Amino acid sequence: MACNGLIQLLVLFVYLSAKVDSTNVIIMLMDDMGWGDIASNGEPNRETPNLDTMASDGMLFTDFYTGNPLCSPSRAALLTGRLPIRNGMYTTNGHARNGWARQDVTGGIPDHELLLPELLSKRNYSSKIVGKWHLGQQPQFLPLRHGFQEFFGSSNCHLGPHDDKKAPNMPVYRDDQMIGRYFEEYPIVNGKSNLTLLFIEDALSYIDKNVERQTPFLLYWAPDST
C-alpha cells in the first residue's frame, strides 16, 4: 500500500438508535481506494454487497472531492472542515510541510484547530478512532489530545519493515499507550495481515458498548489498507 496514493472518502453515513435521542455518527475513510473500486460505482470484477446496500438504502454522492489526494491533509480537512492550507496540514504533493507524516516528521495538527470529536463532546458524545491517525506522531498530536476519547490503531501508515537503526517500525496504540509495532507484534507478510479484521472487531465492540449504554457516539474508522 503506497501511503501517498489517492485517498477517497468512501461514505459518511449516520443512523438513529432507538435508545438514544442523538444521532450516532460513523465515518469510514478508505486508504488508496479509487472511486470505481466498488460495484455500486460500476466495478464489474469486485463484489461489495454491504457497501452496495448502504449506497442503495442511503445517499450516494457521485461527485465528491477530498481536501487533498494525500494522507495527512485529507484527514485534517475531513476532521476540521477546513482547507489544508488553513488547518496547517498541507502539501505541494512533494511531501512538503506536514503533508505526509512519516516517523521523522515532528509536526502535526495544530492545537488551535477544532476537530469534529471536540465539537461533539459538547453534546456528550463518546468518540473513538480505529485505524490510521496520520496527523502527527508526537504525544501532543495524538488523537486523545484532540478530542477523541479512545484510539486503536497507528499514528502513521505501515511503511517498512525498518531496521530500528535508521528508523523504527510504526507504533500501534491502544488509547495513549503504545502496545506494539507493525512487522513485530503486528506482523505484515507480503502486504497482508489481520489488522483490518482487528479493526472491524474493535469497531463492532465499540458500537455495541455504546448502544448498550445508550450513549451517542462518533466512530471514525480509517483502516490504512483496503
Side-chain angles (χ1 to χ4, degrees), residues 38-193:
I38 61 176
S40 58
N41 282 340
E43 168 56 57
N45 299 314
R46 291 188 178 93
E47 295 183 1
T48 52
N50 293 326
L51 297 178
D52 299 341
T53 299
M54 290 166 56
S56 62
D57 291 350
M59 291 184 290
L60 180 64
F61 298 93
T62 59
D63 193 15
F64 181 90
Y65 296 87
T66 63
N68 192 278
L70 204 57
C71 297
S72 301
S74 68
R75 285 164 165 74
L78 172 67
L79 292 175
T80 64
R82 283 158 51 85
L83 292 172
I85 195 65
R86 295 185 180 276
N87 63 40
M89 301 291 291
Y90 59 88
T91 178
T92 60
N93 289 333
H95 297 163
R97 180 63 178 172
N98 291 320
W100 190 42
R102 302 166 298 179
Q103 66 266 49
D104 58 350
V105 170
T106 58
I109 190 73
D111 281 339
H112 60 76
E113 290 297 323
L114 194 61
L115 274 62
L116 181 58
E118 295 176 276
L119 292 172
L120 291 178
S121 68
K122 299 177 181 179
R123 299 292 301 272
N124 299 317
Y125 271 69
S126 169
S127 60
K128 182 168 188 171
I129 169 176
V130 177
K132 184 171 72 171
W133 169 240
H134 224 180
L135 295 180
Q137 65 171 7
Q138 302 297 323
Q140 66 269 29
F141 300 123
L142 292 176
L144 269 61
R145 300 291 183 92
H146 292 273
F148 283 100
Q149 298 168 1
E150 298 182 39
F151 175 33
F152 174 50
S154 178
S155 56
N156 302 69
C157 53
H158 66 246
L159 294 179
H162 298 292
D163 58 13
D164 209 26
K165 296 177 181 179
K166 295 181 180 179
N169 286 312
M170 302 300 180
V172 177
Y173 285 87
R174 173 71 68 180
D175 296 332
D176 58 356
Q177 299 295 317
M178 191 182 81
I179 57 175
R181 292 184 181 275
Y182 287 146
F183 298 98
E184 296 172 26
E185 290 82 4
Y186 294 87
I188 300 175
V189 180
N190 297 324
K192 298 180 180 180
S193 75

